[in-house]
Amino acid sequence: ILKGYTNLIELSSVYISKLSFKVTSFRNIKTSPIEVTIDEVHIVIQESLHHQEFNWNEWPDIAKKMIEDCNRKGAYGLLERITDNLSLEINRVYVTFQSMGKYKTRKIGKWTPPALSVVLNNVRFVMVDEYGNEGTPEEVWWHNSRNGKQETMLRNKSMGNDAQGVINDRGTFMIYKLVTMEVSIAVGYRPKGMSARDTFHGSKILVANLP
């Protein structure tokens, strides 16, 4: 997957523990909350041994293609609505990046630089309303309904804002997401084959539980 975006790094290993799904109603899945819970994710990323230097002269064309891909929008359908009802909670994510150093070899030795480990604790990715409040799919979707758009337009007009386009653009939906977590960073040497979690616990912590 990473090679589709960059050839500078490679995904070495991924481990996921205790993955669970909770759907309140399969019969009315369009408006039902979908909760995904994961205990731990361990990810090890390493520097690629075979990569070409990035040609910055190609950046304008790459940026143009990225913008075109983003603007290539399809119809908002059932799948998109179900995805927007999804909430994700992860107890802990361990990510370790291993640079190969000057000699660019997988053989571990005194020439191998220390690995950088990042831990994301209590990761939450949830849908919220326009004020950042969590709620049911109906509550966080209210501002996209016709009544919700009319309410927003009247409120903005009372505040002196021009919101005429809000109610007229019926094909536009505003989706608000909230991401929260605590971050810890550590640096230490990683023996070959060691997991991201064990690497972090064996490293020197530089930052702990930064919100």
Side-chain angles (χ1 to χ4, degrees):
I1 297 176
L2 288 176
K3 289 183 179 179
Y5 297 91
T6 177
N7 60 0
L8 299 178
I9 57 177
E10 297 177 354
L11 183 61
S12 177
S13 63
V14 176
Y15 170 79
I16 300 176
S17 68
K18 297 182 180 179
L19 172 65
S20 63
F21 294 86
K22 180 182 178 181
V23 182
T24 56
S25 174
F26 284 99
R27 182 172 298 179
N28 194 21
I29 195 170
K30 183 177 179 180
T31 58
S32 298
I34 303 174
E35 300 176 2
V36 179
T37 304
I38 301 175
D39 182 26
E40 290 189 353
V41 179
H42 305 172
I43 303 173
V44 176
I45 301 172
Q46 57 190 7
E47 181 184 1
S48 175
L49 298 181
H50 308 286
H51 67 267
Q52 299 176 348
E53 294 295 331
F54 182 76
N55 185 358
W56 288 100
N57 293 327
E58 298 177 357
W59 172 245
D61 294 334
I62 296 176
K64 181 180 179 181
K65 184 178 183 303
M66 292 172 62
I67 295 174
E68 291 175 349
D69 291 341
C70 292
N71 291 333
R72 194 177 295 115
K73 301 177 181 178
Y76 189 91
L78 176 62
L79 181 60
E80 288 78 13
R81 181 64 188 271
I82 293 174
T83 303
D84 287 332
N85 292 339
L86 184 104
S87 65
L88 173 65
E89 294 191 14
I90 307 177
N91 183 34
R92 193 167 289 110
V93 180
Y94 292 92
V95 182
T96 294
F97 171 70
Q98 178 64 68
S99 172
M100 293 297 101
K102 179 179 179 180
Y103 298 106
K104 307 303 179 190
T105 175
R106 296 280 185 241
K107 185 176 181 180
I108 303 298
K110 60 182 180 180
W111 51 83
T112 306
L116 175 66
S117 295
V118 177
V119 177
L120 310 178
N121 295 308
N122 304 316
V123 179
R124 300 186 71 247
F125 177 78
V126 296
M127 189 175 179
V128 296
D129 63 16
E130 55 188 322
Y131 304 107
N133 300 317
E134 297 183 43
T136 65
E138 291 83 359
E139 291 171 340
V140 299
W141 190 259
W142 167 253
H143 62 275
N144 283 318
S145 66
R146 182 168 183 80
N147 290 337
K149 289 183 177 182
Q150 288 177 337
E151 181 181 291
T152 301
M153 183 183 67
L154 294 175
R155 183 175 61 251
N156 288 341
K157 279 188 174 182
S158 67
M159 298 174 60
N161 298 327
D162 182 12
Q164 187 64 35
V166 174
I167 190 64
N168 291 336
D169 193 357
R170 299 181 181 179
T172 300
F173 298 99
M174 297 295 294
I175 308 300
Y176 299 94
K177 298 289 187 178
L178 175 66
V179 180
T180 59
M181 68 187 74
E182 296 176 346
V183 181
S184 298
I185 302 175
V187 173
Y189 289 96
R190 173 181 176 266
K192 186 176 181 179
M194 179 175 283
S195 68
R197 179 178 61 182
D198 293 341
T199 301
F200 174 81
H201 289 299
S203 302
K204 181 179 180 180
I205 298 179
L206 304 179
V207 178
N209 298 327
L210 182 68

